[in-house]
PDB file of all heavy atoms in Angstrom:
ATOM      1  N   ASP A  34      -5.794  -1.005 -10.517  1.00 89.00           N
ATOM      2  CA  ASP A  34      -5.322  -0.348 -11.731  1.00 89.00           C
ATOM      3  C   ASP A  34      -3.835   0.002 -11.672  1.00 89.00           C
ATOM      4  O   ASP A  34      -3.248   0.386 -12.676  1.00 89.00           O
ATOM      5  CB  ASP A  34      -6.126   0.929 -11.997  1.00 89.00           C
ATOM      6  CG  ASP A  34      -7.565   0.643 -12.381  1.00 89.00           C
ATOM      7  OD1 ASP A  34      -7.864  -0.511 -12.757  1.00 89.00           O
ATOM      8  OD2 ASP A  34      -8.399   1.568 -12.295  1.00 89.00           O
ATOM      9  N   LEU A  35      -3.235  -0.120 -10.491  1.00 88.00           N
ATOM     10  CA  LEU A  35      -1.808   0.181 -10.359  1.00 88.00           C
ATOM     11  C   LEU A  35      -0.976  -1.038 -10.723  1.00 88.00           C
ATOM     12  O   LEU A  35      -1.366  -2.169 -10.461  1.00 88.00           O
ATOM     13  CB  LEU A  35      -1.474   0.590  -8.917  1.00 88.00           C
ATOM     14  CG  LEU A  35      -2.094   1.865  -8.374  1.00 88.00           C
ATOM     15  CD1 LEU A  35      -1.647   2.075  -6.926  1.00 88.00           C
ATOM     16  CD2 LEU A  35      -1.732   3.065  -9.220  1.00 88.00           C
ATOM     17  N   GLU A  36       0.195  -0.783 -11.267  1.00 91.00           N
ATOM     18  CA  GLU A  36       1.155  -1.857 -11.503  1.00 91.00           C
ATOM     19  C   GLU A  36       1.706  -2.302 -10.149  1.00 91.00           C
ATOM     20  O   GLU A  36       1.693  -1.536  -9.181  1.00 91.00           O
ATOM     21  CB  GLU A  36       2.300  -1.362 -12.402  1.00 91.00           C
ATOM     22  CG  GLU A  36       1.856  -0.936 -13.782  1.00 91.00           C
ATOM     23  CD  GLU A  36       1.332  -2.104 -14.618  1.00 91.00           C
ATOM     24  OE1 GLU A  36       1.824  -3.236 -14.430  1.00 91.00           O
ATOM     25  OE2 GLU A  36       0.436  -1.879 -15.443  1.00 91.00           O
ATOM     26  N   GLN A  37       2.213  -3.502 -10.073  1.00 88.00           N
ATOM     27  CA  GLN A  37       2.716  -4.039  -8.816  1.00 88.00           C
ATOM     28  C   GLN A  37       3.811  -3.164  -8.211  1.00 88.00           C
ATOM     29  O   GLN A  37       3.831  -2.933  -7.007  1.00 88.00           O
ATOM     30  CB  GLN A  37       3.217  -5.476  -8.992  1.00 88.00           C
ATOM     31  CG  GLN A  37       3.644  -6.134  -7.706  1.00 88.00           C
ATOM     32  CD  GLN A  37       2.520  -6.271  -6.683  1.00 88.00           C
ATOM     33  OE1 GLN A  37       1.352  -6.360  -7.019  1.00 88.00           O
ATOM     34  NE2 GLN A  37       2.892  -6.283  -5.410  1.00 88.00           N
ATOM     35  N   ASP A  38       4.717  -2.640  -9.036  1.00 92.00           N
ATOM     36  CA  ASP A  38       5.783  -1.795  -8.487  1.00 92.00           C
ATOM     37  C   ASP A  38       5.224  -0.492  -7.918  1.00 92.00           C
ATOM     38  O   ASP A  38       5.738   0.033  -6.925  1.00 92.00           O
ATOM     39  CB  ASP A  38       6.884  -1.529  -9.520  1.00 92.00           C
ATOM     40  CG  ASP A  38       6.394  -0.837 -10.772  1.00 92.00           C
ATOM     41  OD1 ASP A  38       5.214  -1.002 -11.144  1.00 92.00           O
ATOM     42  OD2 ASP A  38       7.207  -0.128 -11.402  1.00 92.00           O
ATOM     43  N   GLN A  39       4.139   0.023  -8.509  1.00 92.00           N
ATOM     44  CA  GLN A  39       3.491   1.218  -7.965  1.00 92.00           C
ATOM     45  C   GLN A  39       2.847   0.904  -6.610  1.00 92.00           C
ATOM     46  O   GLN A  39       2.923   1.710  -5.678  1.00 92.00           O
ATOM     47  CB  GLN A  39       2.424   1.739  -8.933  1.00 92.00           C
ATOM     48  CG  GLN A  39       2.989   2.278 -10.228  1.00 92.00           C
ATOM     49  CD  GLN A  39       1.885   2.617 -11.218  1.00 92.00           C
ATOM     50  OE1 GLN A  39       1.031   1.789 -11.528  1.00 92.00           O
ATOM     51  NE2 GLN A  39       1.895   3.860 -11.686  1.00 92.00           N
ATOM     52  N   ARG A  40       2.202  -0.258  -6.501  1.00 88.00           N
ATOM     53  CA  ARG A  40       1.609  -0.665  -5.223  1.00 88.00           C
ATOM     54  C   ARG A  40       2.680  -0.779  -4.151  1.00 88.00           C
ATOM     55  O   ARG A  40       2.493  -0.346  -3.013  1.00 88.00           O
ATOM     56  CB  ARG A  40       0.895  -2.017  -5.365  1.00 88.00           C
ATOM     57  CG  ARG A  40      -0.354  -1.965  -6.193  1.00 88.00           C
ATOM     58  CD  ARG A  40      -1.010  -3.329  -6.203  1.00 88.00           C
ATOM     59  NE  ARG A  40      -1.899  -3.438  -7.347  1.00 88.00           N
ATOM     60  CZ  ARG A  40      -2.473  -4.545  -7.727  1.00 88.00           C
ATOM     61  NH1 ARG A  40      -2.257  -5.682  -7.071  1.00 88.00           N
ATOM     62  NH2 ARG A  40      -3.283  -4.564  -8.762  1.00 88.00           N
ATOM     63  N   ILE A  41       3.813  -1.360  -4.510  1.00 89.00           N
ATOM     64  CA  ILE A  41       4.914  -1.509  -3.548  1.00 89.00           C
ATOM     65  C   ILE A  41       5.417  -0.142  -3.097  1.00 89.00           C
ATOM     66  O   ILE A  41       5.676   0.074  -1.905  1.00 89.00           O
ATOM     67  CB  ILE A  41       6.044  -2.366  -4.148  1.00 89.00           C
ATOM     68  CG1 ILE A  41       5.568  -3.821  -4.272  1.00 89.00           C
ATOM     69  CG2 ILE A  41       7.315  -2.276  -3.300  1.00 89.00           C
ATOM     70  CD1 ILE A  41       6.479  -4.718  -5.082  1.00 89.00           C
ATOM     71  N   ASP A  42       5.537   0.811  -4.029  1.00 93.00           N
ATOM     72  CA  ASP A  42       5.965   2.175  -3.672  1.00 93.00           C
ATOM     73  C   ASP A  42       4.984   2.808  -2.685  1.00 93.00           C
ATOM     74  O   ASP A  42       5.392   3.443  -1.711  1.00 93.00           O
ATOM     75  CB  ASP A  42       6.087   3.051  -4.920  1.00 93.00           C
ATOM     76  CG  ASP A  42       7.293   2.712  -5.763  1.00 93.00           C
ATOM     77  OD1 ASP A  42       8.202   2.001  -5.267  1.00 93.00           O
ATOM     78  OD2 ASP A  42       7.325   3.153  -6.939  1.00 93.00           O
ATOM     79  N   VAL A  43       3.685   2.647  -2.936  1.00 90.00           N
ATOM     80  CA  VAL A  43       2.671   3.207  -2.041  1.00 90.00           C
ATOM     81  C   VAL A  43       2.774   2.553  -0.662  1.00 90.00           C
ATOM     82  O   VAL A  43       2.777   3.237   0.364  1.00 90.00           O
ATOM     83  CB  VAL A  43       1.249   3.036  -2.618  1.00 90.00           C
ATOM     84  CG1 VAL A  43       0.183   3.382  -1.589  1.00 90.00           C
ATOM     85  CG2 VAL A  43       1.073   3.889  -3.872  1.00 90.00           C
ATOM     86  N   LEU A  44       2.865   1.238  -0.628  1.00 88.00           N
ATOM     87  CA  LEU A  44       2.979   0.528   0.654  1.00 88.00           C
ATOM     88  C   LEU A  44       4.230   0.939   1.417  1.00 88.00           C
ATOM     89  O   LEU A  44       4.185   1.141   2.639  1.00 88.00           O
ATOM     90  CB  LEU A  44       2.969  -0.985   0.436  1.00 88.00           C
ATOM     91  CG  LEU A  44       1.617  -1.583   0.080  1.00 88.00           C
ATOM     92  CD1 LEU A  44       1.770  -3.051  -0.309  1.00 88.00           C
ATOM     93  CD2 LEU A  44       0.637  -1.435   1.221  1.00 88.00           C
ATOM     94  N   ASN A  45       5.348   1.092   0.716  1.00 90.00           N
ATOM     95  CA  ASN A  45       6.583   1.527   1.371  1.00 90.00           C
ATOM     96  C   ASN A  45       6.447   2.944   1.929  1.00 90.00           C
ATOM     97  O   ASN A  45       6.907   3.230   3.031  1.00 90.00           O
ATOM     98  CB  ASN A  45       7.769   1.447   0.415  1.00 90.00           C
ATOM     99  CG  ASN A  45       8.204   0.022   0.156  1.00 90.00           C
ATOM    100  OD1 ASN A  45       7.916  -0.886   0.932  1.00 90.00           O
ATOM    101  ND2 ASN A  45       8.888  -0.179  -0.963  1.00 90.00           N
ATOM    102  N   GLY A  46       5.799   3.824   1.172  1.00 92.00           N
ATOM    103  CA  GLY A  46       5.568   5.190   1.647  1.00 92.00           C
ATOM    104  C   GLY A  46       4.666   5.224   2.862  1.00 92.00           C
ATOM    105  O   GLY A  46       4.880   5.995   3.806  1.00 92.00           O
ATOM    106  N   PHE A  47       3.657   4.369   2.880  1.00 89.00           N
ATOM    107  CA  PHE A  47       2.746   4.285   4.020  1.00 89.00           C
ATOM    108  C   PHE A  47       3.460   3.693   5.236  1.00 89.00           C
ATOM    109  O   PHE A  47       3.380   4.225   6.347  1.00 89.00           O
ATOM    110  CB  PHE A  47       1.520   3.460   3.641  1.00 89.00           C
ATOM    111  CG  PHE A  47       0.468   3.409   4.712  1.00 89.00           C
ATOM    112  CD1 PHE A  47      -0.331   4.513   4.969  1.00 89.00           C
ATOM    113  CD2 PHE A  47       0.286   2.267   5.452  1.00 89.00           C
ATOM    114  CE1 PHE A  47      -1.296   4.474   5.957  1.00 89.00           C
ATOM    115  CE2 PHE A  47      -0.687   2.208   6.439  1.00 89.00           C
ATOM    116  CZ  PHE A  47      -1.481   3.314   6.702  1.00 89.00           C
ATOM    117  N   ALA A  48       4.176   2.605   5.034  1.00 86.00           N
ATOM    118  CA  ALA A  48       4.878   1.932   6.135  1.00 86.00           C
ATOM    119  C   ALA A  48       5.923   2.842   6.771  1.00 86.00           C
ATOM    120  O   ALA A  48       6.146   2.802   7.983  1.00 86.00           O
ATOM    121  CB  ALA A  48       5.518   0.640   5.647  1.00 86.00           C
ATOM    122  N   SER A  49       6.558   3.686   5.967  1.00 90.00           N
ATOM    123  CA  SER A  49       7.600   4.580   6.484  1.00 90.00           C
ATOM    124  C   SER A  49       7.017   5.820   7.150  1.00 90.00           C
ATOM    125  O   SER A  49       7.747   6.569   7.801  1.00 90.00           O
ATOM    126  CB  SER A  49       8.525   5.014   5.349  1.00 90.00           C
ATOM    127  OG  SER A  49       7.849   5.920   4.477  1.00 90.00           O
ATOM    128  N   GLY A  50       5.716   6.067   6.961  1.00 89.00           N
ATOM    129  CA  GLY A  50       5.094   7.258   7.524  1.00 89.00           C
ATOM    130  C   GLY A  50       5.123   8.456   6.596  1.00 89.00           C
ATOM    131  O   GLY A  50       4.565   9.505   6.900  1.00 89.00           O
ATOM    132  N   ARG A  51       5.802   8.311   5.459  1.00 93.00           N
ATOM    133  CA  ARG A  51       5.849   9.412   4.485  1.00 93.00           C
ATOM    134  C   ARG A  51       4.461   9.711   3.939  1.00 93.00           C
ATOM    135  O   ARG A  51       4.126  10.852   3.648  1.00 93.00           O
ATOM    136  CB  ARG A  51       6.812   9.037   3.354  1.00 93.00           C
ATOM    137  CG  ARG A  51       7.100  10.153   2.379  1.00 93.00           C
ATOM    138  CD  ARG A  51       8.185   9.759   1.377  1.00 93.00           C
ATOM    139  NE  ARG A  51       8.120   8.401   0.878  1.00 93.00           N
ATOM    140  CZ  ARG A  51       7.347   7.991  -0.138  1.00 93.00           C
ATOM    141  NH1 ARG A  51       6.565   8.845  -0.756  1.00 93.00           N
ATOM    142  NH2 ARG A  51       7.366   6.725  -0.532  1.00 93.00           N
ATOM    143  N   ILE A  52       3.627   8.677   3.804  1.00 92.00           N
ATOM    144  CA  ILE A  52       2.238   8.810   3.369  1.00 92.00           C
ATOM    145  C   ILE A  52       1.374   8.375   4.551  1.00 92.00           C
ATOM    146  O   ILE A  52       1.280   7.197   4.849  1.00 92.00           O
ATOM    147  CB  ILE A  52       1.942   7.925   2.143  1.00 92.00           C
ATOM    148  CG1 ILE A  52       2.849   8.302   0.973  1.00 92.00           C
ATOM    149  CG2 ILE A  52       0.478   8.027   1.750  1.00 92.00           C
ATOM    150  CD1 ILE A  52       2.802   7.301  -0.174  1.00 92.00           C
ATOM    151  N   PRO A  53       0.760   9.335   5.268  1.00 91.00           N
ATOM    152  CA  PRO A  53       0.021   8.970   6.478  1.00 91.00           C
ATOM    153  C   PRO A  53      -1.372   8.381   6.236  1.00 91.00           C
ATOM    154  O   PRO A  53      -1.909   7.712   7.108  1.00 91.00           O
ATOM    155  CB  PRO A  53      -0.081  10.286   7.239  1.00 91.00           C
ATOM    156  CG  PRO A  53       0.034  11.343   6.205  1.00 91.00           C
ATOM    157  CD  PRO A  53       0.904  10.775   5.109  1.00 91.00           C
ATOM    158  N   VAL A  54      -1.941   8.626   5.047  1.00 91.00           N
ATOM    159  CA  VAL A  54      -3.297   8.154   4.747  1.00 91.00           C
ATOM    160  C   VAL A  54      -3.281   7.396   3.435  1.00 91.00           C
ATOM    161  O   VAL A  54      -2.759   7.884   2.433  1.00 91.00           O
ATOM    162  CB  VAL A  54      -4.300   9.331   4.651  1.00 91.00           C
ATOM    163  CG1 VAL A  54      -5.690   8.843   4.282  1.00 91.00           C
ATOM    164  CG2 VAL A  54      -4.337  10.123   5.956  1.00 91.00           C
ATOM    165  N   MET A  55      -3.883   6.214   3.468  1.00 87.00           N
ATOM    166  CA  MET A  55      -3.989   5.417   2.247  1.00 87.00           C
ATOM    167  C   MET A  55      -5.458   5.116   1.986  1.00 87.00           C
ATOM    168  O   MET A  55      -6.174   4.688   2.886  1.00 87.00           O
ATOM    169  CB  MET A  55      -3.209   4.115   2.382  1.00 87.00           C
ATOM    170  CG  MET A  55      -3.188   3.327   1.102  1.00 87.00           C
ATOM    171  SD  MET A  55      -2.117   1.861   1.087  1.00 87.00           S
ATOM    172  CE  MET A  55      -1.478   1.699   2.712  1.00 87.00           C
ATOM    173  N   VAL A  56      -5.888   5.347   0.770  1.00 89.00           N
ATOM    174  CA  VAL A  56      -7.239   4.993   0.329  1.00 89.00           C
ATOM    175  C   VAL A  56      -7.078   3.747  -0.527  1.00 89.00           C
ATOM    176  O   VAL A  56      -6.343   3.759  -1.515  1.00 89.00           O
ATOM    177  CB  VAL A  56      -7.890   6.137  -0.482  1.00 89.00           C
ATOM    178  CG1 VAL A  56      -9.266   5.736  -0.973  1.00 89.00           C
ATOM    179  CG2 VAL A  56      -7.968   7.413   0.352  1.00 89.00           C
ATOM    180  N   ALA A  57      -7.750   2.667  -0.114  1.00 85.00           N
ATOM    181  CA  ALA A  57      -7.509   1.388  -0.777  1.00 85.00           C
ATOM    182  C   ALA A  57      -8.799   0.636  -1.057  1.00 85.00           C
ATOM    183  O   ALA A  57      -9.779   0.771  -0.334  1.00 85.00           O
ATOM    184  CB  ALA A  57      -6.604   0.529   0.093  1.00 85.00           C
ATOM    185  N   THR A  58      -8.763  -0.150  -2.095  1.00 81.00           N
ATOM    186  CA  THR A  58      -9.861  -1.062  -2.387  1.00 81.00           C
ATOM    187  C   THR A  58      -9.570  -2.386  -1.687  1.00 81.00           C
ATOM    188  O   THR A  58      -8.574  -2.528  -0.981  1.00 81.00           O
ATOM    189  CB  THR A  58      -9.986  -1.306  -3.906  1.00 81.00           C
ATOM    190  OG1 THR A  58      -8.766  -1.905  -4.361  1.00 81.00           O
ATOM    191  CG2 THR A  58     -10.247  -0.014  -4.662  1.00 81.00           C
ATOM    192  N   ASP A  59     -10.423  -3.367  -1.909  1.00 73.00           N
ATOM    193  CA  ASP A  59     -10.224  -4.680  -1.301  1.00 73.00           C
ATOM    194  C   ASP A  59      -8.933  -5.350  -1.736  1.00 73.00           C
ATOM    195  O   ASP A  59      -8.529  -6.343  -1.143  1.00 73.00           O
ATOM    196  CB  ASP A  59     -11.396  -5.615  -1.630  1.00 73.00           C
ATOM    197  CG  ASP A  59     -12.531  -5.445  -0.652  1.00 73.00           C
ATOM    198  OD1 ASP A  59     -12.315  -4.883   0.429  1.00 73.00           O
ATOM    199  OD2 ASP A  59     -13.648  -5.891  -0.972  1.00 73.00           O
ATOM    200  N   VAL A  60      -8.255  -4.817  -2.734  1.00 70.00           N
ATOM    201  CA  VAL A  60      -6.983  -5.390  -3.159  1.00 70.00           C
ATOM    202  C   VAL A  60      -6.004  -5.403  -1.980  1.00 70.00           C
ATOM    203  O   VAL A  60      -5.089  -6.206  -1.922  1.00 70.00           O
ATOM    204  CB  VAL A  60      -6.399  -4.622  -4.373  1.00 70.00           C
ATOM    205  CG1 VAL A  60      -5.863  -3.264  -3.988  1.00 70.00           C
ATOM    206  CG2 VAL A  60      -5.324  -5.424  -5.074  1.00 70.00           C
ATOM    207  N   LEU A  61      -6.261  -4.556  -0.990  1.00 69.00           N
ATOM    208  CA  LEU A  61      -5.357  -4.431   0.145  1.00 69.00           C
ATOM    209  C   LEU A  61      -5.873  -5.104   1.410  1.00 69.00           C
ATOM    210  O   LEU A  61      -5.191  -5.128   2.420  1.00 69.00           O
ATOM    211  CB  LEU A  61      -5.107  -2.947   0.433  1.00 69.00           C
ATOM    212  CG  LEU A  61      -3.913  -2.621   1.311  1.00 69.00           C
ATOM    213  CD1 LEU A  61      -2.628  -3.090   0.664  1.00 69.00           C
ATOM    214  CD2 LEU A  61      -3.863  -1.158   1.602  1.00 69.00           C
ATOM    215  N   SER A  62      -7.072  -5.679   1.383  1.00 63.00           N
ATOM    216  CA  SER A  62      -7.650  -6.182   2.629  1.00 63.00           C
ATOM    217  C   SER A  62      -6.918  -7.394   3.195  1.00 63.00           C
ATOM    218  O   SER A  62      -7.003  -7.660   4.381  1.00 63.00           O
ATOM    219  CB  SER A  62      -9.129  -6.509   2.441  1.00 63.00           C
ATOM    220  OG  SER A  62      -9.313  -7.593   1.560  1.00 63.00           O
ATOM    221  N   ARG A  63      -6.216  -8.120   2.370  1.00 62.00           N
ATOM    222  CA  ARG A  63      -5.471  -9.285   2.854  1.00 62.00           C
ATOM    223  C   ARG A  63      -4.009  -9.173   2.423  1.00 62.00           C
ATOM    224  O   ARG A  63      -3.694  -8.634   1.382  1.00 62.00           O
ATOM    225  CB  ARG A  63      -6.052 -10.575   2.280  1.00 62.00           C
ATOM    226  CG  ARG A  63      -7.468 -10.821   2.725  1.00 62.00           C
ATOM    227  CD  ARG A  63      -7.993 -12.093   2.088  1.00 62.00           C
ATOM    228  NE  ARG A  63      -9.401 -12.252   2.371  1.00 62.00           N
ATOM    229  CZ  ARG A  63      -9.907 -13.284   3.019  1.00 62.00           C
ATOM    230  NH1 ARG A  63      -9.132 -14.249   3.428  1.00 62.00           N
ATOM    231  NH2 ARG A  63     -11.196 -13.357   3.239  1.00 62.00           N
ATOM    232  N   GLY A  64      -3.156  -9.690   3.261  1.00 61.00           N
ATOM    233  CA  GLY A  64      -1.760  -9.789   2.869  1.00 61.00           C
ATOM    234  C   GLY A  64      -0.894  -8.589   3.157  1.00 61.00           C
ATOM    235  O   GLY A  64       0.296  -8.632   2.892  1.00 61.00           O
ATOM    236  N   ILE A  65      -1.450  -7.524   3.695  1.00 68.00           N
ATOM    237  CA  ILE A  65      -0.621  -6.360   4.007  1.00 68.00           C
ATOM    238  C   ILE A  65       0.136  -6.646   5.302  1.00 68.00           C
ATOM    239  O   ILE A  65      -0.418  -7.158   6.267  1.00 68.00           O
ATOM    240  CB  ILE A  65      -1.478  -5.077   4.113  1.00 68.00           C
ATOM    241  CG1 ILE A  65      -0.592  -3.866   4.386  1.00 68.00           C
ATOM    242  CG2 ILE A  65      -2.567  -5.219   5.127  1.00 68.00           C
ATOM    243  CD1 ILE A  65      -1.335  -2.551   4.359  1.00 68.00           C
ATOM    244  N   ASP A  66       1.415  -6.323   5.327  1.00 68.00           N
ATOM    245  CA  ASP A  66       2.242  -6.621   6.483  1.00 68.00           C
ATOM    246  C   ASP A  66       2.825  -5.329   7.054  1.00 68.00           C
ATOM    247  O   ASP A  66       4.022  -5.083   6.974  1.00 68.00           O
ATOM    248  CB  ASP A  66       3.348  -7.603   6.098  1.00 68.00           C
ATOM    249  CG  ASP A  66       4.110  -8.123   7.295  1.00 68.00           C
ATOM    250  OD1 ASP A  66       3.536  -8.112   8.408  1.00 68.00           O
ATOM    251  OD2 ASP A  66       5.268  -8.519   7.128  1.00 68.00           O
ATOM    252  N   ILE A  67       1.944  -4.485   7.581  1.00 73.00           N
ATOM    253  CA  ILE A  67       2.351  -3.229   8.207  1.00 73.00           C
ATOM    254  C   ILE A  67       1.766  -3.227   9.614  1.00 73.00           C
ATOM    255  O   ILE A  67       0.557  -3.291   9.797  1.00 73.00           O
ATOM    256  CB  ILE A  67       1.853  -2.005   7.403  1.00 73.00           C
ATOM    257  CG1 ILE A  67       2.433  -2.031   5.984  1.00 73.00           C
ATOM    258  CG2 ILE A  67       2.220  -0.706   8.121  1.00 73.00           C
ATOM    259  CD1 ILE A  67       1.895  -0.966   5.060  1.00 73.00           C
ATOM    260  N   ASP A  68       2.636  -3.156  10.617  1.00 72.00           N
ATOM    261  CA  ASP A  68       2.198  -3.272  12.005  1.00 72.00           C
ATOM    262  C   ASP A  68       1.691  -1.976  12.615  1.00 72.00           C
ATOM    263  O   ASP A  68       1.149  -1.986  13.715  1.00 72.00           O
ATOM    264  CB  ASP A  68       3.350  -3.789  12.875  1.00 72.00           C
ATOM    265  CG  ASP A  68       3.738  -5.208  12.529  1.00 72.00           C
ATOM    266  OD1 ASP A  68       2.889  -5.942  11.990  1.00 72.00           O
ATOM    267  OD2 ASP A  68       4.892  -5.580  12.797  1.00 72.00           O
ATOM    268  N   THR A  69       1.862  -0.851  11.953  1.00 74.00           N
ATOM    269  CA  THR A  69       1.583   0.446  12.578  1.00 74.00           C
ATOM    270  C   THR A  69       0.231   1.041  12.217  1.00 74.00           C
ATOM    271  O   THR A  69      -0.004   2.210  12.484  1.00 74.00           O
ATOM    272  CB  THR A  69       2.687   1.441  12.204  1.00 74.00           C
ATOM    273  OG1 THR A  69       2.739   1.548  10.772  1.00 74.00           O
ATOM    274  CG2 THR A  69       4.033   1.016  12.742  1.00 74.00           C
TER     275      THR A  69
END
């Protein structure tokens, strides 16, 4: 339900550690490139 730019903001916040917990649907099960 999020726009692509909103998803990118969430991913950037998670990758940077600003957002320590992410609740995600299968939309995120593939293609995420976060090593931490």
Side-chain angles (χ1 to χ4, degrees):
D34 291 343
L35 296 179
E36 297 294 328
Q37 185 62 28
D38 60 332
Q39 293 173 306
R40 290 183 201 171
I41 290 169
D42 287 345
V43 170
L44 286 172
N45 287 339
F47 185 74
S49 71
R51 188 173 40 83
I52 301 169
V54 178
M55 185 173 5
V56 178
T58 61
D59 274 343
V60 73
L61 196 62
S62 67
R63 297 178 187 240
I65 182 174
D66 189 24
I67 300 174
D68 294 336
T69 58

